[in-house]
């Protein structure tokens, strides 16, 4: 029996592949490479030395996805495939709703048809909108603020309805906070297509000289130094959270949401200082006006994941900075994919 991982070539997916393979799971990866490179798969094979299957497939392609269910004996699905840029979702809402929601719908219909009723879903802390206070626990009111966030919220609701219609389903909704960092080997990491929207890749690209300076979005928030506070979590800790959630859905039924965060908040300037100290680099920055839609402070209460999944983030901010830099320094142009054009599937 195998685990099907959608979106497995992406940033979080590639780190999840490594953890799954190292834990001995049989793995099938599905990704259309719309926001990732095939080279990530080559590097996963290199890191783990383990075999796995890769299908270059769009989850919206029902026929192609169905053939994967026919060809393989699938026990559970970890569903990460999706589009994730908040700004782009405002510009292209239909594209986001179609890809994220219809994609999940097609996947769930096939799971139902082939009696695979176990899913770990990648949701986001964005479903909490503007929290009334912090830390945020899973029972906070849910209110997404943009089309991307609404796709996550709608999918969560769809999956809850699915469970309520058939109690054989077992579903974990993982609400990620801010994943940063990379595998300690420096062979896999975050590889944004264009100028990064997120803080850490912007910092690493500034450090490596690709970008001139960091723009800090606002220093007049009610926080420790006026800059925005977030719960940054090492991507390897996050990947390990998927394994714990998988163990849970393999052995019990129900639908539950879990915050995957550290429970600690860091401001933008604290991250800049930690990065400079850990890596010995200098990050020039300029304070500019607030970015529309940003909240002042967002960090998790991760107690539920600790109690029910036995999961706790172990890595600290220095590990996150060191590993983010290790990846960027060794791969200044990302994966530079030579295999990108091969429109096919592989057994790695
Ligand atoms: P990513 O873009 O690196 O990975 C997503 C992967 O899904 C990509 O490899 C992309 O090619 C693939 N994909 C997209 N649409 C697809 C489709 N229709 N069929 C097949 N593959 C498809 O992003 P990531 O940061 O690794 O995020 C993974 C998941 O976690 C996403 O669902 C994202 O919304 C969610 N998430 C990410 C963050 C974050 O800060 N990175 C925070 C919260 C939630
Ligand atoms: N920031 C800057 N300059 C930048 C980029 C970010 O000052 O160039 C600041 C932001 O204002 C914010 C903090 O750094 O205070 C973090 O911003 P990110 O863009 O890295 O992360 P967000 O918290 O805005 O969003 C991330 C994901 C979303 C997800 C959300 C909640 O990008 O997809 O976390 O989990 F929904």
């Amino acid at each position: 029996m195998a685990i099907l991982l959608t979106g497995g070539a992406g940033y979080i997916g590639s780190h999840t592949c490594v953890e799954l393979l190292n834990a001995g799971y049989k793995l099938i990866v599905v990704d259309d490479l719309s926001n990732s490179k095939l080279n990530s798969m080559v590097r996963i094979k290199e890191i783990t030395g383990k075999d796995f299957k890769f299908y270059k497939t769009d989850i919206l392609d029902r026929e192609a996805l169905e053939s994967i269910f026919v060809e393989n004996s699938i026990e559970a699905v970890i569903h990460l495939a999706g589009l994730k840029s908040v700004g782009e979702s405002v510009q292209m809402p239909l594209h986001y709703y179609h890809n994220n929601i219809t994609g999940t719908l097609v996947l769930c219909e096939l799971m139902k048809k082939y009696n695979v009723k176990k899913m770990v879903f990648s949701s986001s802390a964005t479903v909490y909108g503007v929290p009334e206070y912090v830390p945020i626990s899973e029972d906070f009111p849910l209110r997404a603020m943009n089309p991307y966030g609404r796709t996550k919220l709608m999918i969560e609701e769809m999956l809850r309805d699915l469970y309520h219609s058939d109690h054989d389903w077992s579903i974990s909704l993982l609400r990620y906070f801010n994943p940063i960092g990379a595998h300690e080997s420096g062979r896999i990491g975050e590889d944004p297509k264009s100028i990064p929207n997120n803080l850490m890749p912007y910092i690493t690209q500034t450090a490596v000289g690709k970008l001139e300076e960091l723009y800090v979005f606002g220093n007049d928030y009610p926080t420790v130094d006026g800059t925005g506070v977030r719960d940054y979590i090492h991507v390897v800790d996050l990947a390990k959270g998927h394994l714990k959630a998988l163990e849970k859905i393999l052995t019990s039924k129900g639908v539950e949401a879990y915050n995957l965060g550290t429970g600690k908040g860091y401001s933008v300037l604290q991250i800049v200082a930690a990065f400079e100290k850990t890596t010995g680099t200098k990050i020039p920055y300029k304070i500019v006006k607030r970015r529309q839609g940003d909240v002042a402070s967002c960090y998790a209460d991760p107690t539920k994941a600790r109690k029910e999944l036995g999961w706790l983030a172990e890595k600290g901010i220095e590990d996150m900075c060191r590993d983010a830099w290790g990846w960027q320094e060794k791969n200044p142009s990302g994966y530079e994919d030579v295999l990108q054009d091969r429109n096919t599937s592989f057994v790695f």
Side-chain angles (χ1 to χ4, degrees):
M1 295 289 265
I3 306 303
L4 179 75
L5 174 62
T6 73
Y11 173 45
I12 299 165
S14 55
H15 292 82
T16 306
C17 285
V18 169
E19 297 306 318
L20 286 167
L21 290 168
N22 283 342
Y25 285 100
K26 200 170 160 195
L27 175 65
I28 299 160
V29 176
V30 171
D31 199 301
D32 66 355
L33 302 180
S34 55
N35 197 38
S36 51
K37 306 271 175 59
L38 194 54
N39 231 348
S40 62
M41 297 286 105
V42 177
R43 305 252 181 118
I44 287 161
K45 169 79 192 190
E46 179 195 301
I47 293 169
T48 63
K50 305 268 172 64
D51 294 337
F52 61 97
K53 280 191 190 174
F54 172 78
Y55 291 89
K56 183 179 174 187
T57 299
D58 184 340
I59 59 166
L60 286 160
D61 183 343
R62 185 185 295 268
E63 219 175 288
L65 194 59
E66 179 153 11
S67 66
I68 297 171
F69 278 85
V70 172
E71 278 169 32
N72 299 282
S73 178
I74 296 166
E75 189 173 13
V77 175
I78 303 181
H79 177 37
L80 271 61
L83 300 171
K84 65 165 181 177
S85 160
V86 172
E88 197 179 61
S89 80
V90 175
Q91 302 303 319
M92 309 163 76
L94 298 181
H95 184 46
Y96 268 66
Y97 286 118
H98 186 57
N99 191 78
N100 293 4
I101 295 183
T102 313
T104 305
L105 201 61
V106 171
L107 176 65
C108 288
E109 283 168 355
L110 289 172
M111 288 175 70
K112 184 170 183 294
K113 181 168 175 185
Y114 290 90
N115 205 30
V116 181
K117 295 183 176 176
K118 299 174 194 309
M119 179 190 271
V120 175
F121 171 63
S122 63
S123 186
S124 166
T126 194
V127 298
Y128 296 116
V130 182
E132 267 166 36
Y133 56 93
V134 278
I136 302 169
S137 55
E138 288 82 356
D139 54 3
F140 269 39
L142 303 178
R143 45 182 171 211
M145 313 293 285
N146 52 64
Y148 164 70
R150 275 186 277 280
T151 68
K152 292 294 178 194
L153 201 47
M154 285 178 195
I155 294 169
E156 281 201 8
E157 283 170 0
M158 186 170 93
L159 294 175
R160 282 183 199 283
D161 287 341
L162 192 54
Y163 171 72
H164 292 309
S165 74
D166 174 357
H167 287 122
D168 263 351
W169 281 84
S170 180
I171 299 168
S172 265
L173 311 169
L174 301 183
R175 296 179 181 152
Y176 311 156
F177 281 69
N178 289 56
I180 58 171
H183 191 261
E184 61 181 8
S185 64
R187 298 296 286 160
I188 55 173
E190 189 169 11
D191 185 16
K193 261 188 172 166
S194 46
I195 296 181
N197 294 312
N198 299 115
L199 181 63
M200 186 51 86
Y202 206 104
I203 289 178
T204 59
Q205 292 198 11
T206 306
V208 86
K210 283 175 84 173
L211 298 169
E212 227 166 81
E213 61 182 344
L214 170 72
Y215 300 108
V216 175
F217 299 141
N219 66 349
D220 56 352
Y221 286 106
T223 62
V224 60
D225 55 21
T227 64
V229 166
R230 296 291 182 275
D231 186 337
Y232 297 94
I233 172 169
H234 197 294
V235 67
V236 171
D237 274 335
L238 189 74
K240 287 182 175 161
H242 293 73
L243 262 69
K244 292 291 190 186
L246 182 61
E247 283 165 22
K248 165 101 189 203
I249 60 159
L250 289 176
T251 53
S252 63
K253 297 190 166 144
V255 55
E256 288 294 338
Y258 297 101
N259 286 341
L260 295 189
T262 65
K264 288 191 205 83
Y266 287 92
S267 74
V268 176
L269 293 182
Q270 285 172 334
I271 293 291
V272 170
F275 187 87
E276 289 183 335
K277 186 165 173 245
T278 311
T279 63
T281 57
K282 191 84 203 129
I283 307 298
Y285 68 83
K286 183 164 43 186
I287 308 286
V288 297
K289 67 178 182 4
R290 291 181 180 194
R291 181 171 66 179
Q292 211 192 345
D294 274 355
V295 300
S297 221
C298 173
Y299 57 93
D301 174 351
T303 309
K304 187 178 174 193
R306 179 168 53 76
K307 284 195 176 148
E308 295 185 17
L309 302 179
W311 173 87
L312 194 64
E314 288 169 353
K315 292 177 185 282
I317 204 69
E318 291 79 19
D319 302 309
M320 301 181 212
C321 293
R322 184 198 58 231
D323 293 340
W325 179 230
W327 155 255
Q328 181 72 72
E329 217 185 1
K330 291 183 187 126
N331 307 271
S333 308
Y335 284 112
E336 294 193 87
D337 208 344
V338 284
L339 301 170
Q340 183 67 44
D341 292 338
R342 292 199 201 161
N343 188 9
T344 181
S345 303
F346 289 92
V347 176
F348 281 95

